[in-house]
Amino acid sequence: MAYKPKPAPGSRRFSPLKFIGTVVVWLVTAFNLLVLYWLIAAAFKTPIEIFTKPFALPYTWFQRGVPFRNFEYAWNQAGFGEAVVSTVLLVGLATVVTVAISAPAAYALTRFGVRGAGGLTNVIAVGMGVPFQTVVIPLFVVLSKVHLDNIYGLFIVYVALSIPFTVFLLTGFFRSLPDELEEAAAIDGASATRTFFSVMLPLARGGLITALILNAIGLWNETLLAIVFLKDQAEFTLSRALFTFYGAASYQSEYGGLIAGVALVVLPMLLLYVVLARQIITGLTLGSGK
Amino acid sequence: MGAIAAHVGRKRRLFLPFLVPAMALYVAFLVLPTLATVVLSFTKWAGAGDTPKPNGVGNYQQLLNSEAFQFSFVNTLIYVFAGGVGTFVLAFLFTMVLRDMRGGKVVRAILFFPNIVAPVALGMFLGFVFKYQPHKQGLANFILTELGGTAQKFLAPDNVTWVVTASLIWASSGFFITILMAAVDNIPPYLYEDSDLAGASPWQKFTNITLPLTWDVIGVAGVLWTINALKIFELVFVLAGPGTYSPPNRAWTLGIFVFDRTFGSNGTPDFGAACACAVAMIVLVSVLVVALRRLMRRDALQY
């Protein structure tokens, strides 16, 4: 817990800057809570309720005994049922494989004392700055030639493009570990591979979990590559399915169903966030502080 | 010590096996495609079914004369600069307030939340908030008319860039508050105590303590901002357009330009022009990041 200095008596003057700041902070916080309420409430409303009584609690669908009508509509019309399965599998596997490939690389780059490792780390970090748009055209052309313009191709692309950030994040964690344990393991006769798996990986657990969470959030929300690579609706991810659903539902003025669709994409992340907020925020600050 | 020396030797032998899978994917999916994009930007190529033909700098000349590209370029710069300044001012203001505020960590968690929402979902959601349609006004116009104002066409092509900028500042500030707060927490508290005793105002404390001591973190955060703002795509695409089709040129970003010329559903694809625009993106991000680092380094020496 951060230590807060107590102000000296009489030194706390009224400051207009601080006053404005406090007001703005509370306004924005209240606004965030309000829009979150609005999103969840609107997901249970009819279009008329959404537009004429935005702050009221939903009632029409409840009165008719079908409170989840909007969710059912979105689920059936947008094919979210299949999309949930695809997304969970794709994001879960891609995240695990990314970390499994990045962790040994980050370990080798930080702890082997090999000359030029620092330069290589920077080369990989530069990859974080490459916009997806710069690589997407050649990737699409080549992968569709070998018939990988589908969810399997997207999986490989997700893993490959997540590597720079993950390696960069994990090098920070491995660099901060003490040398002694590694040396002790060596003296006890553990092989280098064994040292990595049974000593260093458990020590870097915080970093690995952070890498898993941040990649999972990023890939769950990724849309551009999913639009490019997924043509078959049966393979759509949630955000990809929502993208298609948006056009159709707006056209039919199905605003309730549309907001329910948005909620279906957002709520799993909200739950994850409520459970893991502390881990996400501390992991992020550790990673960026390096 | 022999054990350790032997261990180090054995470890070195593992260097390649540990590194090669990550490096191979990096080279195959980032380095080579980037080079391919550069090469393709000098060809005329309509995409599938056509073969690339050498075209010199034709694509780049075409870009410079294209109204769509000019809009895309200017809008992207607006997001990077106006959005960046707004986000950092807000993030700093919030960091200073949250530091002394009870429940600051909870407030920070609430402010951070928009960062984990899919940009597509955020765009659709904001589309409802800023919707303009008589008798079906979105949240913003609902409040505006309740307060006695007149409804505004927030999402019209002329306004949408600024609405997106404001949304971007709102949505991203939580991320940068988090990073800046961690940096501020590392500042020794006695510096603030001393300045309190000396009767320093919050502004003096900010310019004399907080700013110089968080300078490096601000530099890193600035690079992150630039990288992310430059490739902005989904939020604008969904917010400014009908959703499945590209929005009007006036609202485009460089990311939308590349998408529209390759995978968009408007007109015939032009992979050559898209590659040239993608090259412009990576040149722009490199120039901005290098310039930012230069700027931050020179100023850092003053302290």
Side-chain angles (χ1 to χ4, degrees), chain A residues 4 18 32 111 123 134 273, chain B residues 11 26 37 99-100 109 170:
Chain A
K4 301 258 169 72
K18 181 150 243 179
N32 280 15
R111 311 223 39 122
V123 168
T134 306
Y273 182 65
Chain B
K11 244 169 47 167
Y26 180 75
T37 299
R99 205 175 160 274
D100 297 329
W170 163 70

Side-chain angles (χ1 to χ4, degrees), chain A residues 136-150:
Chain A
V136 72
I137 296 168
L139 285 182
F140 175 74
V141 170
V142 171
L143 287 179
S144 43
K145 246 180 210 147
V146 293
H147 303 295
L148 276 175
D149 49 343
N150 54 27

